[in-house]
Amino acid sequence: MTSTHEGTFEGLRAQLQEAAATFADGPDALEGILLGIVDDVDHAVREPLEIFPVCHHSPASAIAMARRLREKQPKVVYLELCEDMAPLLTELRNCKLPVAVQSFATEVDGFPVEWSPLSVVAPITEASAEYQAIAYALDTPGVELVLVDRSSDHVFQWDARATESAGPAGPDAAPAEEEAALHGDAVGVEIGDLRPRFAELEEHLLHHGKVRHWSEWWHQYVELPLGDSDHDTYRQVMLLIGSLFRRLAPGDSHRLRVDEDRERYMWTRMREHLAATGTDPADCLYVCGAFHAASRVAEFGVHGTDTFEISPPSATTWQHGLIPSSHAAIEAQFGLAAGSVSIAATVWAKNVRRTRVEPFRLAGQAGAKKSRAKAKKAVAPAAVGPAEAIPPSDKLTGFLQRPPALDRLDEAELLGWSVEIVRAARRNGYLASTADAIAVFETSILLAGMRDRAKPTPYDFQDAAVTCIEKDTVPGRRDVRRLVEIMMGGDRVGQVGYEALPPLARDVHDRLAPLGLKLQQTGVQRALLDIASQPELERCSDALWMLRHLLPQGAARPIMGERKLGERPIQESWDLALGTYQRALIELGYEGVSIEQVLEQRLRRTAYDRRATTATVLEAVEDATLYLRSRRLADELGTHALEVLSAERSVDGAPEVLRRVRRLLAYYRTSEPVLPSWIESFAKTGYAHYCTLLPTAFTDEDATVRQVAATLGFLFSMESLALSLGCDRTQLELAVAQSHPEEPSKTALLWSAQVQLGHLSRADLRAKCDELLGNPLVVPAYPRYLSGLVQALEPVPGLTDFVVEAVSNAFARLPDPVLLPWLPTLITTLRSGGSELAPLLIREAGRTFPGRLAALDAWVPPWLAQPEPAAVLPAAGPEGIHGCTLLAAHPATCDAVASLLGCEGTWETAETDRPAGAALTGRHPETATALEALLAGA
């Protein structure tokens, strides 16, 4: 075989050697590179197993692939794609391209935990050679499709190996290209990636090609020349480009090692398959990126060495599925210019019409032509005669020596583009006219001429449109460059069909079917649920609330209606965009078979996370009750909340804990016959726990007033329940007695707690406030005391009237230099930390102050009003006033009550010489006097 191919590229070698000797000024480095490139092409062409080099999402590669498949009709197609993705490819017929094949793992075993979740994606479009090969293999009887690239597990195995060998993260720890290969949060598999890795080479090509970015250079100098070339020319040129980029790549040891390991892996798998099936290599086709086609590893070829050992997969469980992709996501993954994939799709459609090549499409695919597909299936395979053994001629020399073909200007196409972009610009607010269309037309031709092109490319037209229409302002949200991208095809977003969805996603669609919406459709749809008249819609409501909790914010957004503990829905309105967020819904299917299972797993994961706080666990308890209505899960997580609470050593989460435990306690008291055992234990444990932390919280500078107030609120609100469960109130009294705050707001908070415990009377508290206002040295700090009193409404709401009094006195007596700077602080305090306290103050102020402005002048605050003189009790005796005169004058009422109670007796006469009226009060006036003093003091 070697002798047969000997001399194929001898003429090209001689010319390159002469050019190297002429231009090289030193050692024979240039000669070695140039001759090495030719050797690489010759080496790949000689391989008995035909290698088909491709570039990802290249229309020229797709056309050449479709043409070659119809000519050769191979029995086995080896494809550079993760081998564990093979079972998913049959589901492509149920999808609308572009989509991506995805491998997903949430629980890792053998990789760093911080890498979770692991995700690998491989996008596929119709204008790609890979899709042509897949469609041919799946719809042609007797053809086998074999994926030979490393598995998804090995993708991360080799990354982990590189991380361990590199040591600490640094500039060389991870190649910069890996960041450009991200597809969302996933690692993108570079199928057929072909781009210079040598920055200086790419810059040189862009400069001399008079283009701005790599996508435009590839379109101008590779896509267009190879669009109409024959198979041998296409193959040799692509091998030449792959070898050039490979030999001029920088010395990145990690990247080079990964590339070579991938090539060893693929050739090892192909030789294993050939040995197992006995297939003739002449009946096979190997589809790979041009970069890997020119490989020089020892394992290369069907006769290569078998020294490469494939490591076993890790214990990580991988799940696979199809997710929607888009042109923008593909461009981001491969570092292409915005709009380049849309332009490639347009060029693909034009090439199909021009070359009359019949592309392959999966049966049932959106847009597939079933009749033609059947006709092609019926065509008998072409006979493979002796010509197949004839080595290909040297097409590379002729291609390199041939001047570029000047494609004539298609004036009708360019004119249509110019008119269409002006129409789109006017719709988006630009003041464009027919004159602008003419200017765009002429400027496109001018720019093409300046760049040595006979025909303007879409990139020339885009530059001309920006220059002539956009000028210096963008009136809408879309600029002209984006309008051109949309006109050329836009950012097409693929869609996964119902049959290809995972069980969870199909279950969601089935449960939401009563809504009568097209959930597969992209965009926002409004769903109206009248649950009162259609009780069966309550299941839809339950599913929507769980989806809102699990999916991104815009996937399911409630417009009307809310879900609260102890309440049943009546009417709801939703904005749904499940079609737009289809990928997120599909990835939920990797976590479980139903949304209830996924939600339960996430709640457990959140609650048992090492960074979880008591408030976080209580939130999980509330969500389990609210969405899942699971008493079992709520009890389990509530018990765990006890353990988390006991381990906390600060009151940072006290406000959130208080809010959630109050809500849960109110729910259980109204919906359950008895309280769950965990919440009783929580109240008992929390009472003792916060009593222990209270003295420290009062003196801790990091503890805010709101947090200390919430701690007291928990103690006072849970006191009755805790005491009934065996707690001792003395513990709280000792905690308050041991608290000695220095900060004014916390001092006022301590006074409020002492009032609640009965250790401080209101009169004493009022005296303390008056003393503060009367001390000129303390007056500047008085607003801070008031802030503490405002926060005290959380644990002691009974002080609301006193706080209104204190604030009113502050407004009346504080000087303006103190009062005015404090007002913004009061407002921000109420807004940020006391929004639930403001209604209490407003309601009490409305009850206290007069309702009309006219009455305000004569109004006297109740705390300043003079008490009325005490009434003197009449002396008892015959000459005194005989009380109860009204009762004696009208005895019927008293007789009726006595008869009802079964009492018998006679009425006394006025002349009876006995003490009249309330004799007991007259004998013991101390009780009445004490009551009078208490009422006067209140």
Side-chain angles (χ1 to χ4, degrees), residues 447-664:
L447 288 176
M450 295 172 60
R451 296 166 179 172
D452 297 333
R453 302 169 188 167
K455 176 184 178 181
T457 66
Y459 300 97
D460 298 326
F461 171 75
Q462 188 179 58
D463 293 341
V466 172
T467 303
C468 299
I469 298 177
E470 187 170 298
K471 300 178 177 68
D472 59 345
T473 58
V474 179
R477 63 187 182 91
R478 290 172 176 165
D479 57 10
V480 174
R481 190 173 302 279
R482 176 60 180 154
L483 294 178
V484 174
E485 294 174 11
I486 295 174
M487 190 188 73
M488 291 292 177
D491 183 18
R492 297 182 186 175
V493 179
Q495 189 178 75
V496 179
Y498 176 85
E499 294 79 6
L501 292 173
L504 179 143
R506 291 200 299 268
D507 178 61
V508 168
H509 283 268
D510 294 341
R511 292 169 65 172
L512 299 181
L515 299 179
L517 301 177
K518 297 179 180 179
L519 299 177
Q520 292 278 71
Q521 179 178 328
T522 58
V524 179
Q525 303 178 71
R526 180 62 57 88
L528 303 176
L529 287 74
D530 188 1
I531 303 174
S533 60
Q534 295 178 281
E536 64 274 10
L537 294 181
E538 186 172 355
R539 295 185 68 250
C540 297
S541 173
D542 295 340
L544 289 175
W545 283 108
M546 285 186 280
L547 290 175
R548 177 179 179 268
H549 190 276
L550 296 171
L551 293 179
Q553 186 175 5
R557 185 167 61 93
I559 304 301
M560 181 185 69
E562 59 182 354
R563 181 62 64 96
K564 290 185 176 181
L565 289 173
E567 296 183 1
R568 306 296 296 181
I570 300 176
Q571 286 184 333
E572 293 179 353
S573 176
W574 290 80
D575 275 352
L576 301 180
L578 297 183
T580 304
Y581 292 89
Q582 191 181 50
R583 175 182 176 179
L585 180 61
I586 290 173
E587 290 184 347
L588 285 183
Y590 300 149
E591 301 182 44
V593 296
S594 66
I595 52 178
E596 287 84 0
Q597 180 186 2
V598 174
L599 181 56
E600 180 174 343
Q601 291 176 354
R602 289 196 179 182
L603 292 178
R604 289 179 187 274
R605 192 181 306 124
T606 302
Y608 286 94
D609 188 85
R610 59 185 179 84
R611 294 169 294 182
T613 62
T614 306
T616 305
V617 181
L618 289 178
E619 181 182 6
V621 174
E622 187 175 347
D623 291 340
T625 306
L626 195 60
Y627 301 120
L628 298 176
R629 299 189 179 96
S630 173
R631 177 67 182 273
R632 170 191 55 81
L633 180 61
D635 290 349
E636 176 188 341
L637 298 181
T639 304
H640 180 63
L642 278 171
E643 303 174 2
V644 178
L645 177 65
S646 302
E648 290 185 349
R649 293 296 177 263
S650 68
V651 295
D652 295 345
E656 188 70 12
V657 171
L658 174 62
R659 184 172 64 89
R660 294 194 177 278
V661 77
R662 276 179 175 174
R663 193 156 52 209
L664 288 169

Side-chain angles (χ1 to χ4, degrees), residues 184-463:
D185 294 332
V187 175
V189 178
E190 298 177 350
I191 309 174
D193 179 35
L194 197 59
R195 182 170 183 165
R197 299 180 183 176
F198 190 34
E200 287 77 3
L201 173 61
E202 182 172 344
E203 182 181 355
H204 178 83
L205 294 175
L206 298 183
H207 174 71
H208 289 277
K210 298 180 180 180
V211 294
R212 291 168 300 144
H213 44 72
W214 174 251
S215 301
E216 186 176 359
W217 186 93
W218 182 269
H219 174 87
Q220 178 66 26
Y221 294 100
V222 180
E223 284 293 334
L224 297 181
L226 290 182
D228 297 324
S229 62
D230 60 277
H231 168 65
D232 291 336
T233 303
Y234 165 84
R235 185 183 177 199
Q236 293 175 22
V237 171
M238 291 294 288
L239 289 171
L240 174 70
I241 297 174
S243 177
L244 175 66
F245 292 169
R246 189 183 188 96
R247 288 184 174 270
L248 294 182
D252 187 343
S253 58
H254 166 59
R255 185 75 180 266
L256 179 62
R257 182 180 180 183
V258 170
D259 289 333
E260 292 181 348
D261 282 352
R262 289 180 64 185
E263 293 154 6
R264 296 185 179 98
Y265 194 106
M266 290 187 283
W267 280 109
T268 301
R269 289 302 192 201
M270 284 186 283
R271 283 195 300 272
E272 290 176 354
H273 181 268
L274 290 173
T277 59
T279 307
D280 186 358
D283 295 332
C284 303
L285 188 68
Y286 172 34
V287 182
C288 67
F291 189 90
H292 299 292
S295 174
R296 304 294 291 190
V297 297
E299 290 80 4
F300 179 89
V302 295
H303 302 297
T305 61
D306 291 323
T307 58
F308 183 71
E309 295 184 4
I310 299 176
S311 59
S314 68
T316 300
T317 302
W318 289 89
Q319 302 185 64
H320 303 84
L322 295 170
I323 60 173
S325 186
S326 66
H327 289 173
I330 296 171
E331 290 159 0
Q333 175 179 338
F334 288 92
L336 305 176
S340 59
V341 178
S342 299
I343 293 175
T346 304
V347 174
W348 157 256
K350 291 176 59 178
N351 288 348
V352 169
R353 291 192 300 268
R354 187 184 73 254
T355 60
R356 299 183 181 276
V357 173
E358 182 65 25
F360 291 94
R361 291 188 179 94
L362 288 170
Q365 189 88 51
K369 301 176 182 178
K370 297 181 180 179
S371 59
R372 288 192 176 186
K374 291 182 179 179
K376 285 297 177 184
K377 286 182 182 179
V379 175
V384 179
E388 290 292 334
I390 299 176
S393 60
D394 179 10
K395 299 294 184 70
L396 190 56
T397 303
F399 180 84
L400 295 177
Q401 292 179 345
R402 184 173 66 244
L406 299 178
D407 194 1
R408 66 182 182 85
L409 173 63
D410 190 347
E411 294 188 359
E413 180 187 55
L414 183 58
L415 185 62
W417 286 356
S418 302
V419 173
E420 183 63 29
I421 190 59
V422 168
R423 183 182 295 115
R426 291 183 64 85
R427 287 197 301 265
N428 285 269
Y430 288 91
L431 299 178
S433 62
T434 305
D436 293 305
I438 298 173
V440 172
F441 180 87
E442 297 294 342
T443 306
S444 300
I445 299 175
L446 177 63
L447 288 176
M450 295 172 60
R451 296 166 179 172
D452 297 333
R453 302 169 188 167
K455 176 184 178 181
T457 66
Y459 300 97
D460 298 326
F461 171 75
Q462 188 179 58
D463 293 341

Side-chain angles (χ1 to χ4, degrees), residues 124-176:
I124 297 175
T125 64
E126 187 176 358
S128 63
E130 294 84 359
Y131 176 74
Q132 295 299 307
I134 293 171
Y136 163 79
L138 295 183
D139 281 353
T140 305
V143 176
E144 184 179 4
L145 177 65
V146 182
L147 306 186
V148 294
D149 200 0
R150 55 181 176 167
S151 66
S152 305
D153 195 88
H154 286 88
V155 171
F156 291 95
Q157 276 191 37
W158 294 353
D159 283 348
R161 178 185 61 188
T163 303
E164 293 173 0
S165 61
D172 300 327

